[in-house]
């Protein structure tokens, strides 16, 4: 790899511009925590792979999810499903970083570069796309910097930690429409949701009035405790704790937070952003034309796992612009959820299984035919989603799990989180893109 590129500038020049831009204040800037940046700044050209060239990837954040992605993309390549190579990884923890590097090298039989500073990865002129699997409080910064560097972006869910970050990221994506951007939400490629969307567009069940979904699971000791704590972690030696904290620091070293940050409200929205996004996102896609969420209220609490700071039971009511209400249940203390279902004035669409089932309302049995739209078994839907991003990189056609859908879901995530902690309802105005207490 050469040190020149990025429009003829060196990597050192790029890093200097990146650092300067991350604190630049302009009329169009927006805040991410204590950092201000202009999401419209471009610091590197978009590089599109040739027809027969491999897609060269970098991965930022190589903990459990990031390393899982590394294995998955390497396996996609080994099966001959796409010509893709992971050539660089970045993480602030040496054990995570070296583990991912070694796994990629073993599977791909190539050399893979490892960086403590993600900006060095972004400065590389050869990389086409970057997968972001860092903790959610870093998603916005990493994604915005990657877009500015000319990279296509796969951003793990939740898209951001807070709504203001989502709106800033949205501005960045809309300012760089030549870049491909995809949110890495599971279940988005399940055919039943796309078939339901077609039925909604055809008006088969009349106006959609009420939908429901859930993500519920259980454990004996508490959620996310399966993320292990390495006694060999030593901040300042083999782990950069301050870099991990970012603008949420300073904070005393706490291996519980580092390993299990989803349990803490400062670093995560818990069930809402980590689990419920998987079921809410494809349902919002299926509903097609109900508009933006405009009012959200949530309740629940700490019913079993009282040691966890985030809640273990969440129930959310969401009102949309065009006369539709969604209810969502989330739990880590009971695994029995709600059937996924869209209710319309004339009929209902059942999405609890693999297929899409339409049943008429009693009053409309002569107008709506009962039918089952059979949907294929697509196997690992996460792999299908990964390949959708790779397809977008080659075709330059934006994938369906993009910024508008991601922002709508973040309105729900953020307002529901606020409601859980305050006991109040919140509204969102899609004209001004602002939220306030109801």
């Amino acid at each position: 790899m050469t040190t020149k590129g990025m429009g003829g500038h060196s990597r050192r020049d790029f890093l200097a511009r990146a650092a300067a831009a991350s604190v630049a204040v302009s009329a169009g800037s927006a805040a991410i925590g204590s950092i201000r940046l202009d999401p419209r700044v471009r610091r590197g050209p978009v590089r599109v792979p040739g027809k027969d060239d491999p897609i060269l990837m970098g991965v930022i954040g190589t903990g459990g999810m990031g390393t899982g992605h590394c294995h998955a993309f390497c396996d996609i390549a080994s099966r001959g499903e796409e010509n893709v190579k992971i050539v660089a990884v970045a993480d602030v923890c040496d054990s995570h970083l070296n583990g991912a590097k070694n796994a990629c090298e073993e599977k791909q039989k190539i050399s893979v570069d490892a960086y403590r500073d993600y900006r060095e990865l972004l400065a590389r002129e050869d990389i086409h796309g970057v997968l972001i699997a860092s903790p959610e409080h870093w998603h916005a910064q990493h994604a915005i910097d990657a877009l500015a560097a000319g990279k296509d972006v796969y951003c793990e869910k939740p898209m951001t930690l807070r709504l203001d970050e989502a709106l800033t990221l949205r501005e960045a994506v809309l300012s760089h429409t030549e870049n491909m951007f995809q949110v890495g939400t599971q279940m988005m490629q399940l055919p039943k949701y796309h078939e339901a969307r077609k039925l909604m567009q055809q008006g088969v069940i009349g106006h959609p009035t009420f939908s429901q979904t859930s993500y519920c699971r259980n454990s004996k000791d508490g959620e996310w405790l399966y993320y292990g704590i390495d006694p060999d972690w030593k901040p300042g030696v083999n782990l950069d704790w301050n870099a991990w904290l970012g603008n949420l620091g300073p904070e005393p070293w706490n291996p519980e937070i580092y390993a299990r940050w989803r349990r803490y409200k400062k670093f995560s929205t818990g069930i809402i952003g980590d689990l419920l996004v998987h079921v809410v996102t494809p349902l919002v896609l299926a509903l097609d034309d109900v508009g933006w969420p405009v009012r959200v209220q949530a309740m629940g609490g700490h019913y079993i796992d009282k040691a966890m700071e985030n809640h273990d039971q969440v129930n959310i009511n969401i009102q949309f612009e065009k006369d539709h209400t969604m209810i969502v249940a989330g739990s880590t203390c009971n695994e029995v959820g709600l059937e996924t279902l869209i209710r319309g004035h004339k009929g209902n669409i059942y999405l609890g299984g693999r297929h899409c089932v339409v049943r008429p309302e009693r009053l409309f049995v002569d107008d709506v035919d009962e039918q089952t739209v059979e949907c294929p078994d697509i196997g690992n839907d996460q792999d299908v989603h990964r390949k959708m991003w790779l397809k977008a990189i080659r075709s330059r056609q934006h994938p369906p799990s993009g910024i508008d859908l991601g922002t709508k879901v973040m309105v729900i995530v953020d307002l529901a989180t606020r409601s859980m902690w305050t006991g109040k309802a919140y509204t969102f105005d899609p004209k001004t893109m602002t939220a306030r207490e109801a």
Side-chain angles (χ1 to χ4, degrees):
M1 186 188 70
T2 65
T3 58
K4 290 290 182 179
M6 316 303 294
H9 297 282
S10 68
R11 179 186 294 179
R12 183 178 297 174
D13 293 334
F14 173 85
L15 292 173
R17 293 198 307 278
S22 69
V23 295
V25 179
S26 74
S29 66
I32 292 183
S34 61
I35 300 174
R36 294 187 65 86
L37 51 87
D38 185 345
R40 301 165 299 183
V41 172
R42 164 75 68 193
R43 298 189 296 275
V46 176
R47 185 171 180 271
V48 180
K51 179 181 177 182
D52 299 320
D53 295 335
I55 295 172
L56 303 183
M57 278 181 59
V59 177
I60 298 175
T62 56
M65 184 59 72
T67 300
H69 277 299
C70 287
H71 283 284
F73 277 97
C74 290
D75 290 343
I76 287 170
S78 68
R79 293 192 298 265
E81 296 169 1
E82 178 56 86
N83 187 6
V84 57
K85 293 180 180 179
I86 297 174
V87 296
V89 291
D91 201 283
V92 298
C93 175
D94 288 353
S95 60
H96 290 169
L97 186 61
N98 294 329
K101 169 184 166 66
N102 293 338
C104 291
E105 289 184 336
E106 181 178 346
K107 287 198 167 190
Q108 299 178 125
K109 310 303 181 188
I110 63 172
S111 177
V112 175
D113 292 326
Y115 302 99
R116 270 281 195 96
D117 187 337
Y118 76 94
R119 293 172 299 176
E120 292 189 70
L121 183 152
L122 294 182
R124 289 179 56 148
E125 64 180 45
D126 59 334
I127 290 175
H128 302 109
V130 172
L131 186 144
I132 295 165
S134 49
E136 53 207 69
H137 69 280
W138 267 106
H139 284 186
Q141 185 77 67
H142 285 161
I144 290 170
D145 287 349
L147 291 166
K151 316 304 183 188
D152 296 324
V153 172
Y154 183 118
C155 182
E156 254 300 334
K157 58 75 196 168
M159 190 174 80
T160 59
L161 177 58
R162 306 296 180 208
L163 179 56
D164 62 338
E165 299 170 353
L167 295 174
T168 303
L169 177 54
R170 183 172 185 269
E171 185 179 354
V173 173
L174 296 179
S175 296
H176 302 307
T177 56
E178 64 273 38
N179 290 105
M180 300 297 106
F181 177 84
Q182 176 169 294
V183 183
T185 312
Q186 296 173 23
M187 305 188 193
M188 267 297 294
Q189 301 303 328
L190 293 179
K192 63 182 179 181
Y193 291 106
H194 298 271
E195 292 299 328
R197 180 182 176 91
K198 293 176 187 175
L199 293 168
M200 302 294 296
Q201 292 170 337
Q202 296 164 11
V204 169
I205 63 170
H207 181 78
T209 59
F210 173 26
S211 59
Q212 64 183 54
T213 192
S214 63
Y215 195 127
C216 300
R217 61 193 193 191
N218 205 348
S219 64
K220 290 185 178 180
D221 301 315
E223 186 60 40
W224 298 302
L225 295 178
Y226 42 77
Y227 288 108
I229 295 174
D230 187 344
D232 291 330
W233 286 334
K234 293 181 174 58
V237 178
N238 56 23
L239 188 154
D240 192 335
W241 172 238
N242 290 327
W244 186 91
L245 287 168
N247 57 29
L248 295 186
E251 186 93 23
W253 163 241
N254 189 330
E256 284 278 347
I257 290 178
Y258 178 69
R260 300 162 179 171
W261 45 268
R262 293 170 179 86
R263 293 174 60 85
Y264 298 89
K265 68 178 183 179
K266 182 176 180 178
F267 299 92
S268 175
T269 56
I271 290 173
I272 302 172
D274 192 68
L275 303 182
L276 289 178
V277 290
H278 291 309
V279 292
V280 169
T281 305
L283 190 58
V284 172
L285 173 81
L287 285 164
D288 185 49
D289 196 32
V290 297
W292 286 78
V294 293
R295 184 183 175 94
V296 180
Q297 186 166 17
M299 62 184 66
H302 301 90
Y303 294 164
I304 300 297
D305 188 0
K306 298 184 184 297
M308 180 166 67
E309 190 174 22
N310 279 324
H311 307 91
D312 63 357
Q313 180 65 47
V314 176
N315 295 84
I316 309 172
N317 277 282
I318 307 152
Q319 184 178 351
F320 289 81
E321 278 182 283
K322 300 180 182 178
D323 303 322
H324 182 85
T325 301
M326 180 185 293
I327 62 170
V328 183
S331 181
T332 57
C333 57
N334 185 280
E335 63 186 10
V336 180
L338 307 174
E339 180 175 17
T340 303
L341 168 64
I342 300 173
R343 296 175 173 88
H345 178 53
K346 296 181 179 181
N348 306 297
I349 300 176
Y350 295 83
L351 296 163
R354 192 175 82 200
H355 306 304
C356 189
V357 179
V358 177
R359 296 180 185 142
E361 282 284 288
R362 179 178 56 84
L363 298 175
F364 292 93
V365 293
D366 295 329
D367 302 304
V368 178
D369 294 328
E370 183 168 342
Q371 60 174 303
T372 297
V373 180
E374 295 192 358
C375 300
D377 182 355
I378 61 172
N380 187 325
D381 67 282
Q382 287 181 266
D383 273 352
V384 176
H385 200 53
R386 294 177 179 107
K387 288 185 284 187
M388 176 65 73
W389 180 60
L390 298 175
K391 180 181 178 181
I393 291 175
R394 291 206 183 274
S395 69
R396 312 316 293 173
Q397 298 296 313
H398 292 281
S401 187
I403 191 62
D404 280 341
L405 181 60
T407 307
K408 287 179 182 179
V409 172
M410 278 308 304
V411 171
I412 296 170
V413 168
D414 189 87
L415 270 55
T417 301
R418 297 188 203 187
S419 183
M420 284 295 298
W421 288 109
T422 66
K424 300 174 182 178
Y426 290 84
T427 62
F428 180 76
D429 184 348
K431 293 184 177 63
T432 61
M433 303 296 277
T434 55
R436 63 178 180 85
E437 183 182 312

